[in-house]
Amino acid sequence: MNDKDVQRREELGPDRRQEISSLERRALLKLGFAISGVFLGGSVLSLVSVRKADAAGAPVIGGYPYNPHYTMVIRERHCIDCELCKEACVKTNGVPAYGYRTTILEKRRALEEGKFETTFMPVLCNHCNNPPCVRVCPTTATWKDKTTGIVGIYRPSLCIGCKTCMTACPYNARYFNEERRAIDKCDFCFASRLSKGEKTTACAAACPADVRVFGNLADHGDRVYRLLHAPETLIWVLRPETGAVPNVFYVNT
Amino acid sequence: MNTHLAGIFPRSGGLEARRSTTLTLTMALLALLAVAGIVAGIHSLVAGHEHTFGVSRGVPWGILIATYVFFVVISTGLCIVSSIGHVFGFKEFMPIAKRAVFLSIVNISTGFLVIAFEIESSWRMVVGNVVGANLTSNIWWMGTLYGFYLVLMVVEFVMLQKGRHGLASACGLAVLLTGIAANSNLGAVFGLLNGQWFWQGPYMPIYFVTSAATSGAVAIIFYTVLAYKVNGWQMSEAMKQSLGSVARLAVLMLAIIVFFTFWRTVAGVTGSAPGRHEALLALLNGPYRFNFWAGEVLLGLVLPLVLLLATRGRNINVLFVATLIAMVGMFFMRYDLVILGQLVPPYHGMGLVDYPEFYSYSPTLHEQLVVVGGAAFCGLFFLLGERFFRGHLVDSH
Amino acid sequence: MRIWLGVWTLAVALLIHPLSNAADKGGGKAAEPYDEDTYGPEAPVVWVKPVRSVIFEHRVHTMDAGLDCASCHDDLFEMSSGEVAEKDDFTMAAIYQGKYCGSCHDGSTAYNANTRCTTCHIGVRGHQRLERAQAEKGRAK
């Protein structure tokens, strides 16, 4: 991204954008995000992946490089680790016992007087805009779909099992499927559901607490778009320092 | 046909290999171990790594990747030391050149043999690497370049055997460039993984090429002395002098590796780059401290340096011991590099509970058999090479 | 020099020691043994229905918070913990309307049931950890 782009973003952006100091803006841009929401009291940010948009040569504020730009928003604090999502995923996608496409991790934060607070953290493939796993694949068995942005093993018959993508993934999202003799991973249920007309993933459909919200970020009417552009929302992604520009967003709302 | 082969396999001249029962039995044993390794490897491919190997989702690259790195880095290094003599014309490095070229072929073949069992659907490579060629993938470049490297190396060797020195030198230069490109790409396979901070950065490709030159110098001394010892040959003055020169190169390269290791350690401990710091602590004062201090530092660097410096590379027996332990130390370096880079789980430092501080990995019997089999394969072809190529003598021209 | 430092440290430590001990006793509750007849079963109740896994601890509500048995039994909950799990309306929606836990966890008597989810929802992971701990305890005995 060059200075002109930044300048244009600034000119085009909503009035509130001026409240963001240029230093903060620059720091965030370095991480691969453009600020498209509002900034209140140092904590409320809306971050949107921009790298691919730039690569496509058409940076648009609040625009997304894919359509549908499949995204998952995780309303993290509502997760109760009932693991119905994991079960649904296994059942829907035939995930073997030694593998998983999504799992739940558990964070613990100390409160006063020896108490602590637990937060469950669902994790899955982040379908990055700049997927490290795709770059390293020697045989292009895996790629990011040009339309949907879904990172999948589209040609498992070419997968040689070198497992470089497994070491490259910053999210440990990949495993080797012994039956397919190829790497396997979350495909946002494209093969099992989306391609058959379903609108959401198995894990999102199974969640009783409305934690996983799946949708099209390119559609301004879509819930994921609204969640990520709502005021006073704290949005974060996992491991932004790797430059992968993930598409699974975590929110505190 | 026969005359062609006769040109490659010398019928007379050179050194006659010893024909003793011990040597024959040794070769039979090496062949047996190699076959056992190959059988274990094939079984692991059929049954799946899930059931036979210690690798896992967290640590998908195990001891076989380390072994592959060990052998191909030695191969590249042998190519480098051979080129000093017969490409760049440094007389002192001439006597070791032919053996270095031959062993370079043997070592890269061993590397390929071993990695064929670590790549879990390796039979798809033949088609996949061509049909699916991904130019952004370092591992594709590494594999492809090493493939060309092997072919070119064989051509170079044949030219050397036939005495076509001009062509051999030209070939040697091409092999050298291909080998270094392949080797630095192997470093980049690790160094360009942005999620793995222990490896990440330009350090890896540079370190790999430096390591190659180091292993090459060490390995050619080791193999040469071993060849003369097992066959009971008398070493010529020229060869002794040559080994002395290579030993000086080895000292220099080992010193550079000391420098590399020192600053990587200090940088990792001082800085708090997530993942790199934790991995280094595991290496310095954690589960891998034995590997590091005893394997990498003592065997790999300090003892060889002390021994080579103390004898100034003149004592053949000391040369042998120093290079032998340096090779063992280098295996520790490759192993630690490969395994430690994967040990820190991706979500460390986020306050997770029931989440491992480090992943764990230990090689299974299958993996160990493949490693031993690979080493035996390498040793067997080394001995056969000495016999069929009559001590790889270089005629003075 | 060093010897004096040691002597002084020891002296100060001896002086402070009875005080800190007394402070501990002042805490009171920790020293009182848990009486199941007064406070209800010591082992936590874990529901896996209608959703995995939710914990209830008598200790927190009786011994610590000062409620007695009649506060909840049998109006809100049957004595048998399994029974409520069979009811169709043992749901968060009902709780938000003031049923079951919601009769206190309404934001005024106690924190609202629609906040701090993971305090009670220990999840599959929490449940497994609890079972591991109990198994270990069993082995220790």
Side-chain angles (χ1 to χ4, degrees):
Chain A
M1 184 182 320
N2 57 36
D3 288 349
K4 238 185 203 164
D5 288 336
V6 175
Q7 207 179 352
R8 194 162 59 195
R9 274 167 213 279
E10 286 171 356
E11 282 161 6
L12 282 172
D15 299 338
R16 300 292 285 279
R17 185 152 302 131
Q18 267 91 56
E19 292 169 25
I20 308 166
S21 82
S22 66
L23 199 68
E24 280 159 331
R25 197 195 318 259
R26 237 170 275 140
L28 284 157
L29 288 171
K30 264 187 205 157
L31 295 177
F33 296 109
I35 297 153
S36 64
V38 293
F39 183 87
L40 299 168
S43 66
V44 185
L45 281 177
S46 179
L47 309 174
V48 167
S49 316
V50 295
R51 184 167 296 195
K52 262 287 152 66
D54 283 349
V60 182
I61 303 286
Y64 302 91
Y66 301 92
N67 196 0
H69 190 110
Y70 285 127
T71 300
M72 190 172 285
V73 176
I74 301 212
R75 300 167 66 235
E76 189 183 66
R77 68 190 178 89
H78 299 278
C79 179
I80 52 171
D81 184 40
C82 66
E83 304 197 355
L84 290 174
C85 51
K86 285 176 71 173
E87 281 178 12
C89 174
V90 167
K91 218 174 131 190
T92 308
N93 300 303
V95 181
Y98 52 81
Y100 61 83
R101 292 180 175 203
T102 182
T103 192
I104 312 277
L105 300 172
E106 184 180 4
K107 284 188 281 190
R108 191 175 280 185
R109 190 175 129 254
L111 304 178
E112 55 202 359
E113 291 170 5
K115 291 179 185 150
F116 60 83
E117 179 182 70
T118 296
T119 312
F120 294 110
M121 183 172 102
V123 290
L124 68 160
C125 170
N126 281 256
H127 296 278
C128 309
N129 278 5
N130 186 24
C133 54
V134 168
R135 179 187 72 77
V136 301
C137 178
T139 56
T140 47
T142 184
W143 64 80
K144 186 171 173 69
D145 187 86
K146 286 197 168 65
T147 314
T148 61
I150 291 175
V151 176
I153 321 294
Y154 295 104
R155 282 198 290 186
S157 62
L158 282 187
C159 176
I160 62 171
C162 69
K163 301 175 185 172
T164 314
C165 57
M166 289 174 72
T167 58
C169 175
Y171 304 103
N172 192 17
R174 290 170 167 255
Y175 65 96
F176 190 82
N177 186 318
E178 299 284 340
E179 287 71 40
R180 287 170 61 185
R181 302 293 307 197
I183 298 289
D184 206 353
K185 65 180 286 295
C186 162
D187 65 345
F188 272 158
C189 286
F190 190 83
S192 55
R193 290 171 61 100
L194 299 187
S195 62
K196 293 170 184 162
E198 299 265 6
K199 293 287 171 235
T200 188
T201 63
C203 57
C207 181
D210 195 23
V211 173
R212 295 172 185 248
V213 184
F214 177 78
N216 172 11
L217 199 48
D219 174 1
H220 290 205
D222 197 290
R223 185 151 170 241
V224 290
Y225 179 89
R226 283 184 281 122
L227 275 168
L228 292 182
H229 293 82
E232 301 198 31
T233 303
L234 179 64
I235 299 171
W236 66 98
V237 293
L238 299 178
R239 305 197 68 192
E241 76 281 3
T242 64
V245 196
N247 278 308
V248 172
F249 297 89
Y250 294 74
V251 297
N252 70 336
T253 52
Chain B
M1 187 66 198
N2 267 348
T3 49
H4 280 296
L5 282 182
I8 299 166
F9 293 98
R11 291 265 166 81
S12 58
L15 300 164
E16 183 75 35
R18 179 185 277 170
R19 311 240 167 202
S20 73
T21 327
T22 327
L23 203 55
T24 314
L25 279 177
T26 308
M27 281 157 88
L29 180 70
L30 290 176
L32 205 67
L33 285 172
V35 169
I38 292 167
V39 168
I42 291 173
H43 179 244
S44 76
L45 287 187
V46 174
H49 289 176
E50 185 67 28
H51 311 287
T52 49
F53 278 10
V55 293
S56 58
R57 181 178 187 139
V59 185
W61 286 344
I63 196 170
L64 297 196
I65 294 283
T67 309
Y68 170 76
V69 171
F70 177 76
F71 282 111
V72 301
V73 166
I74 288 179
S75 170
T76 314
L78 288 169
C79 166
I80 293 172
V81 291
S82 79
S83 72
I84 298 175
H86 89 94
V87 175
F88 298 110
F90 286 84
K91 287 245 161 7
E92 300 265 279
F93 283 75
M94 287 293 195
I96 51 115
K98 264 192 184 175
R99 179 176 282 108
V101 171
F102 176 76
L103 288 173
S104 185
I105 296 170
V106 172
N107 274 278
I108 186 92
S109 306
T110 308
F112 280 157
L113 177 74
V114 169
I115 207 172
F117 301 126
E118 177 81 333
I119 291 186
E120 207 170 339
S121 302
S122 47
W123 60 88
R124 289 181 183 152
M125 263 194 289
V126 188
V127 176
N129 274 14
V130 179
V131 176
N134 179 4
L135 301 186
T136 66
S137 163
N138 294 106
I139 203 164
W140 183 84
W141 280 106
M142 185 271 290
T144 308
L145 287 169
Y146 266 136
F148 280 119
Y149 167 88
L150 175 57
V151 174
L152 283 170
M153 201 89 193
V154 171
V155 174
E156 180 192 358
F157 182 71
V158 169
M159 291 304 138
L160 274 178
Q161 290 304 112
K162 291 192 161 203
R164 306 195 40 190
H165 293 284
L167 215 55
S169 289
C171 231
L173 184 62
V175 175
L176 177 69
L177 295 176
T178 317
I180 287 177
N183 188 254
S184 55
N185 259 294
L186 176 57
V189 166
F190 300 97
L192 269 59
L193 298 184
N194 284 347
Q196 304 281 13
W197 297 111
F198 184 69
W199 294 328
Q200 202 273 330
Y203 173 84
M204 278 291 143
I206 300 167
Y207 174 77
F208 264 63
V209 173
T210 317
S211 292
T214 317
S215 346
V218 165
I220 194 59
I221 297 173
F222 169 77
Y223 281 126
T224 305
V225 180
L226 187 63
Y228 279 75
K229 287 219 175 290
V230 295
N231 289 301
W233 295 328
Q234 271 294 319
M235 201 174 275
S236 68
E237 270 312 306
M239 182 59 94
K240 277 184 192 162
Q241 275 192 2
S242 180
L243 288 187
S245 302
V246 182
R248 282 202 293 279
L249 175 69
V251 167
L252 172 68
M253 295 315 297
L254 283 168
I256 295 174
I257 296 292
V258 169
F259 186 79
F260 268 65
T261 308
F262 177 79
W263 284 111
R264 180 196 64 179
T265 310
V266 173
V269 170
T270 316
S272 48
R276 184 178 293 158
H277 188 74
E278 286 81 351
L280 266 167
L281 290 184
L283 192 61
L284 296 182
N285 197 21
Y288 282 72
R289 60 178 187 271
F290 171 81
N291 281 15
F292 181 70
W293 294 109
E296 295 193 33
V297 175
L298 198 64
L299 294 182
L301 298 169
V302 175
L303 282 180
L305 268 176
V306 168
L307 289 175
L308 290 177
L309 283 172
T311 57
R312 299 177 169 216
R314 282 183 198 139
N315 184 319
I316 297 297
N317 289 328
V318 174
L319 270 183
F320 181 71
V321 173
T323 51
L324 169 67
I325 58 178
M327 301 259 281
V328 175
M330 277 168 192
F331 188 80
F332 277 102
M333 291 180 199
R334 310 297 174 252
Y335 183 83
D336 293 348
L337 183 104
V338 169
I339 305 303
L340 267 164
Q342 306 168 76
L343 281 192
V344 181
Y347 299 115
H348 74 95
M350 291 183 69
L352 298 181
V353 287
D354 286 343
Y355 189 74
E357 188 187 355
F358 293 115
Y359 287 135
S360 66
Y361 165 78
S362 49
T364 59
L365 181 65
H366 272 83
E367 286 168 296
Q368 290 168 26
L369 280 174
V370 175
V371 173
V372 172
F377 175 90
C378 188
L380 177 64
F381 278 89
F382 155 70
L383 290 175
L384 288 174
E386 296 301 330
R387 172 165 297 178
F388 286 110
F389 300 108
R390 305 182 78 89
H392 300 287
L393 281 201
V394 178
D395 44 332
S396 43
H397 51 271
Chain C
M1 270 308 273
R2 285 221 182 120
I3 287 178
W4 283 113
L5 195 71
V7 167
W8 278 110
T9 314
L10 194 67
V12 171
L14 283 171
L15 268 171
I16 290 170
H17 179 251
L19 291 174
S20 58
N21 218 10
D24 271 355
K25 276 172 190 153
K29 278 179 189 164
E32 186 195 331
Y34 188 86
D35 177 13
E36 292 203 333
D37 291 335
T38 316
Y39 297 129
E42 189 175 17
V45 174
V46 180
W47 287 291
V48 292
K49 277 203 282 187
V51 73
R52 286 174 300 181
S53 295
V54 183
I55 194 170
F56 173 85
E57 286 184 278
H58 279 98
R59 176 195 285 271
V60 176
H61 293 84
T62 53
M63 192 164 151
D64 296 355
L67 300 172
D68 54 30
C69 310
S71 305
C72 306
H73 298 301
D74 288 334
D75 292 348
L76 296 173
F77 293 96
E78 318 290 332
M79 277 293 186
S80 158
S81 64
E83 263 176 59
V84 68
E86 298 302 325
K87 295 187 176 173
D88 287 341
D89 70 339
F90 190 42
T91 62
M92 288 311 293
I95 289 171
Y96 295 152
Q97 284 160 20
K99 288 185 181 166
Y100 306 113
C101 316
S103 71
C104 293
H105 284 282
D106 55 3
S108 51
T109 315
Y111 68 85
N112 198 321
N114 65 11
T115 60
R116 298 165 65 178
C117 317
T118 57
T119 311
C120 309
H121 284 275
I122 58 171
V124 175
R125 297 177 62 104
H127 195 180
Q128 282 169 351
R129 184 160 47 237
L130 200 67
E131 281 178 336
R132 273 202 305 274
Q134 276 165 351
E136 261 165 45
K137 229 181 188 177
R139 270 200 299 278
K141 274 173 188 171

